[in-house]
Structures are given as structure tokens and as C-alpha cells.
Amino acid sequence: MPKMKSNSAAKKRFKRTGSGGFKRKQAFMSHILTKKSSKRKRNLRKSAMVDSTDMGRLNVLLPGS
């Protein structure tokens, strides 16, 4: 049986952590930044964890990562 292919779009957006979770970037930082406060933009720069309800989907997209 051939190897499973990882989804290339998911590879660029998610990184697996040591404990098996996934890190992701925050949304809302691409445009219309003038009306957002500095504090809000600073907090959006931080990475976040993928929710447990989406873990099954990510395990299918990124097998063995």
C-alpha cells in the first residue's frame, strides 16, 4: 500500500507540538488594521492551539506528522 500523502495546504498552516496538539496562527491580521487597537494586534501575533473538535480532521490531513 502506498504512503499516505499529507495535505500541502495544511502543512503550511499547522505545526504539531511535542504533546500531539497542533499550533495555528490567529485570524484577523491580514488587512483593515487601522481600526484595531495596538493591544489587539499584539495579541493576534501570538500562536494559538487548534481546538479538540478539529483534531480528527487535522489527523486525517496530516498523517504521521
Side-chain angles (χ1 to χ4, degrees):
M1 189 169 159
K3 289 183 181 177
M4 298 262 310
K5 282 196 174 181
S6 296
N7 183 281
S8 293
K11 276 194 293 191
K12 296 166 189 172
R13 288 168 174 82
F14 302 100
K15 187 152 288 250
R16 195 178 287 271
T17 62
S19 59
F22 283 98
K23 283 197 309 186
R24 65 171 176 84
K25 286 202 62 158
Q26 302 258 23
F28 305 108
M29 267 299 278
S30 57
H31 63 122
I32 315 177
L33 299 174
T34 51
K35 63 173 75 169
K36 295 174 186 144
S37 68
S38 299
K39 179 181 179 179
R40 183 174 167 195
K41 289 186 282 190
R42 183 168 60 248
N43 286 327
L44 285 171
R45 283 200 298 263
K46 299 172 185 174
S47 61
M49 297 299 294
V50 170
D51 194 69
S52 60
T53 55
D54 296 316
M55 288 295 291
R57 269 194 290 260
L58 271 178
N59 286 322
V60 170
L61 291 172
L62 298 170
S65 66

